[in-house]
Amino acid sequence: MSTAILTGPPVPGSSLEGDLRSLGFEVRTADGPAEAARLLAEAPAAARVALVDPRFVGHVHALRLALTDPRFPAAAVPGALTAQPAARAALTGAVRGVTAQVPAGAPSAGGALADEAAAALEAGGTAVHRPELGSLVAEVPAEAQERHAARARVEAVDDEAVRLRSAVKARDGFFTTFCISPYSRYLARWCARRGLTPNQVTTASLITALIAAGCAATGTRTGYVAAGVLLLFSFVLDCTDGQLARYSLQYSTMGAWLDATFDRAKEYAYYAGLALGAARGGDDVWALALGAMVLQTCRHVVDFSFNEANHDATANTSPTAALSDRLDSVGWTVWARRMIVLPIGERWAMIAVLTAVTTPRVVFYALLAGCAFAACYTTAGRVLRSLTRRARRTERATAALADLTDTGPLAGAVARAASAAARRLPGVVPLAAAVAGAAALVLCAALAGYGSGWTLAAAAVYCLTSGIAVARPLGGPLDWLVPPVFRAAEYGTVLILAAEAQVNGALPAAFGLVAAVAYHHYDTVYRIRGGAGAPPHWLVRVIGGHEGRALAVALLAFLLDGEDFAVALTALAVAVALVVLTESIRYWTAAARGGAPAVHDEGETA
C-alpha cells in the first residue's frame, strides 16, 4: 500500500487524512522534519510515498492528480509531493538535504517540508510533474482566516464536475465531442464506481466489434443493421475506456498497447465481415476491403512518420504552421478541418450508417473516396510544412524513421555497401530512390500481368533502391515519406498480384497477409512511442523486411499458378502472424510485469 506522511500535526477539523485514505494511502503522522525523514526511510521501497503538508486545503481530485498518476516518477501540487520507487532515492536525498538545514527542536519547520523537498528535487535534476489544476484548489493557508477563505473556494467548485470534464480528451473529433462524449463520460464514471478497469472496457469494445463483424458476415439486411448498431456501440466503449483511464488515472503500458492495437483489429475485422457478407450475396468486394485497409494503414504511417520526424525537432516552425494556427482561431474552421480528415469517430459513424442502409460495396466506395481525400489533404499540408519549416531533425528522430522503414536483410546489405557513397549524394536521394523503386514495382505488377518475370525483376530492383534509400540517415525535410512509400509498395503489390490471380481465396489470403504485416508495423510504432525502440532485429530478419516480403510474393506469383499462389499466401500470412504476435505479446506482457513506465497514448483523434 502507498504511504502518505503528514509532515506535522493534523489541523483540527481537517478532512485531509480521510481524503488521503480514500485515495488508497496509509496515513502516518510526523511531528517534524526529522521524524518525517525517518518515516520516509521506513516506508516500503517498492511502494509510492507522499509527503503532505497537514495545513493543505483543496479538492480531493487535486490530490488525486498529484499523488496517484502512475505516469510520473515524481509529482507535486502546493503542499503535497509524491514519488514512485524510481524517484524514491532522489526524494530521500532531497528530504535529507532540507532537514539538515532545520535547527534541532524546530518541529514547526516540518509543515513546509513537502514544498521545499519538491524544490530540492527539481534543483537536483529530477523532473517533478505539476498537473494543471484549472479551477481546482490546492493551497497551504498559514492563518485561520486564510484557511476559511480557501475552504470557501473549495466549496464553490464542483470537484466531481471537473473530474468528469477532464475525463474527455481536450482535442477530439466533431462526432465524438458532440455525439458520444456528452454521455460516455458518465458511462466511464459508472464503470469506475463498479471497479471496472480500462482494459476490461477495451476488451468489451473489441468483442462488440467482432460480433458486429459477424453480423455483417451474415449478408442479410437484419445482420447489416445489427452490425451498424453494434459498431457504434463498440465506438462508445472505445471512447469510454480512455475516459475511464483519465477519470480514475488508471494508465498503464498494457492499456495503451491494447487500446491502440484493438482499434485497428476492430476496424479491419469489420472490413472482413463486410466482404464475407457481400460474398454471401454474390458480390466479391475483397479487393475493395483490402484496398480500404491498405489506404487506411498508409494514412496512419504518414501520421506516425511525420510526427516522429518532427515532434522533437529544433527550430520547428513554418509559415504553413502559422497559417494553421491562425485558422484555428476561427471557430468553425477547427471543426471543419477535423471532420474532413475523417478521424475514427466520423469514419466509423459513416461505416455504421452506410452498412445499415446500403450495401458493402457502397460502404467501401465511400470509405475509399473519403480516406483518399483525407490522405491527400493531410499529406499535402505536411509536405508544405516540411518544405517551408526551418527545422533540424534530431538523431532520435532519424533513428525512429529508420526503424519505421522495416528494412530487412536484403536492403540492409545494400545500404551497408552503399553508405559511404550515399552520404556524398544530394539530400533528395533517399526519397527519390524509394519512390522510383516503389513505382517500378507497383506498375510492373499492375501492367505486366500475373506471373510475369518483369514483376519479379522489378521486385529485385526494389530491394536495391530500398537499400539506397536507407543508406544514409533520413534527415531530409521529406525523408519522413520514405516509410509510407515502402508500405504502399509492399501492400499494393500484394493486392495487385492477388487480384490478378483471379482465383477464389487469393484476395482473402492477401487480406490476411497484409493484416499480419500491418500489425507488425503498428507494433513498431507503439514500441517507439513507449520509448522501447523498434522490435528486435531478429524479428525483422525472420519475416524478411518489407523488401524481402515483396520479393517473396513476386517470386511466388512467378512460380505458382493461381490456386497454389492463394495457398502460399495463406501459409505466409499464418507464419508472419504467428511470429509477430508471439513476439509482440511476449514483449508487452514482459514490459507490464517489469514495471515499465505507464503511458497514455491518445492515439488517433476520435
Side-chain angles (χ1 to χ4, degrees):
M1 175 179 286
S2 301
T3 301
I5 300 170
L6 294 181
T7 58
V11 175
S14 172
S15 63
L16 181 58
E17 291 184 70
D19 293 341
L20 291 170
R21 290 192 179 96
S22 73
L23 296 177
F25 286 93
E26 177 188 359
V27 181
R28 306 187 69 180
T29 303
D31 62 8
E35 186 175 5
R38 180 181 62 81
L39 293 175
L40 175 63
E42 293 175 355
R48 176 192 291 272
V49 69
L51 297 176
V52 184
D53 193 314
R55 300 167 296 172
F56 177 88
V57 175
H59 289 97
V60 176
H61 192 50
L63 286 173
R64 181 182 291 108
L65 290 172
L67 304 184
T68 68
D69 195 324
R71 295 173 295 175
F72 308 104
V77 291
L81 167 67
T82 187
Q84 296 199 73
R88 282 287 299 274
L91 176 60
T92 300
V95 170
R96 187 181 298 117
V98 171
T99 55
Q101 302 173 16
V102 179
S108 61
L113 180 60
D115 291 338
E116 292 176 3
L121 271 178
E122 291 179 311
T126 300
V128 178
H129 172 67
R130 298 182 183 274
E132 292 288 339
L133 298 181
S135 58
L136 295 175
V137 175
E139 301 179 11
V140 185
E143 304 295 336
Q145 185 175 358
E146 295 175 353
R147 188 172 186 83
H148 288 306
R151 284 177 172 170
R153 286 191 289 274
V154 170
E155 294 295 328
V157 176
D158 187 342
D159 178 279
E160 180 62 19
V162 173
R163 189 180 179 190
L164 276 173
R165 286 197 302 271
S166 63
V168 178
K169 279 185 186 179
R171 178 184 175 87
D172 229 333
F174 180 89
F175 178 76
T176 306
T177 300
F178 294 104
C179 301
I180 304 295
S181 292
Y183 57 87
S184 62
R185 69 185 73 181
Y186 296 100
L187 180 57
R189 181 173 67 180
W190 183 90
C191 293
R193 290 178 175 176
R194 283 152 183 81
L196 298 177
T197 67
N199 291 353
Q200 291 171 331
V201 178
T202 301
T203 303
S205 176
L206 173 67
I207 293 172
T208 304
L210 293 179
I211 295 173
C215 291
T218 63
T220 65
R221 179 53 51 194
T222 301
Y224 288 147
V225 172
V229 172
L230 287 171
L231 185 65
L232 285 177
F233 183 61
S234 175
F235 181 66
V236 172
L237 293 176
D238 183 54
C239 295
T240 301
D241 63 4
Q243 291 167 357
L244 174 59
R246 288 182 286 271
Y247 181 85
S248 57
L249 301 184
Q250 296 184 70
Y251 304 120
S252 69
T253 300
M254 179 66 73
W257 173 64
L258 289 177
D259 184 52
T261 55
F262 281 9
D263 278 353
R264 306 285 76 80
K266 288 181 288 188
E267 184 164 2
Y268 298 158
Y270 193 84
Y271 293 177
L274 286 174
L276 289 170
R280 285 178 175 269
D283 188 13
D284 186 355
V285 297
W286 274 107
L288 296 177
L290 180 51
M293 181 167 65
V294 168
L295 179 56
Q296 190 58 35
T297 303
C298 289
R299 280 187 63 198
H300 287 146
V301 176
V302 168
D303 293 341
F304 299 147
S305 294
F306 180 80
N307 292 333
E308 289 300 326
N310 294 286
H311 89 279
D312 60 352
T314 57
N316 200 5
T317 60
S318 75
T320 309
L323 174 61
S324 178
D325 292 339
R326 287 196 295 272
L327 287 174
D328 283 345
S329 66
V330 182
W332 66 270
T333 66
V334 175
W335 296 116
R337 292 165 65 214
R338 290 186 190 178
M339 291 175 67
I340 61 176
V341 299
L342 208 60
I344 188 171
E346 278 76 357
R347 193 167 67 246
W348 283 26
M350 180 187 74
I351 293 171
V353 171
L354 291 178
T355 298
V357 300
T358 64
T359 65
R361 181 171 290 273
V362 173
V363 174
F364 286 123
Y365 281 155
L367 188 61
L368 287 166
C371 288
F373 175 80
C376 292
Y377 171 79
T378 56
T379 304
R382 286 166 177 171
V383 167
L384 288 174
R385 288 192 182 195
S386 299
L387 291 174
T388 57
R389 72 182 2 145
R390 300 178 182 273
R392 291 184 297 275
R393 190 160 297 153
T394 64
E395 291 185 4
R396 179 213 168 275
T398 56
L401 288 179
D403 292 335
L404 289 174
T405 61
D406 190 30
T407 299
L410 297 177
V414 174
R416 288 188 295 272
S419 60
R423 293 177 184 273
R424 297 191 295 268
L425 296 175
V428 298
V429 167
L431 181 59
V435 171
L441 176 59
V442 172
L443 287 175
C444 282
L447 301 177
Y450 178 80
S452 170
W454 286 105
T455 303
L456 182 59
V461 171
Y462 177 69
C463 294
L464 293 174
T465 58
S466 297
I468 295 171
V470 297
R472 57 185 289 171
L474 298 177
L478 295 180
D479 284 355
W480 56 270
L481 284 169
V482 171
V485 169
F486 288 162
R487 298 297 83 78
E490 179 186 359
Y491 300 164
T493 299
V494 174
L495 167 60
I496 293 169
L497 292 179
E500 290 182 342
Q502 296 184 348
V503 296
N504 291 332
L507 280 168
F511 189 96
L513 176 59
V514 172
V517 174
Y519 176 88
H520 165 63
H521 292 145
Y522 282 117
D523 190 55
T524 300
V525 170
Y526 303 138
R527 294 195 196 204
I528 293 172
R529 285 183 169 182
H537 292 301
W538 69 260
L539 177 64
V540 178
R541 289 195 298 269
V542 167
I543 61 176
H546 69 95
E547 81 289 353
R549 290 186 298 271
L551 180 61
V553 172
L555 180 61
L556 290 173
F558 178 73
L559 296 176
L560 304 176
D561 61 22
E563 296 287 347
D564 291 339
F565 180 67
V567 174
L569 281 185
T570 302
L572 184 58
V574 171
V576 171
L578 285 176
V579 173
V580 299
L581 283 172
T582 300
E583 161 56 22
S584 177
I585 294 170
R586 182 211 61 79
Y587 167 78
W588 289 104
T589 53
R593 288 196 305 267
V599 296
H600 181 59
D601 184 2
E602 295 286 0
E604 182 184 0
T605 301

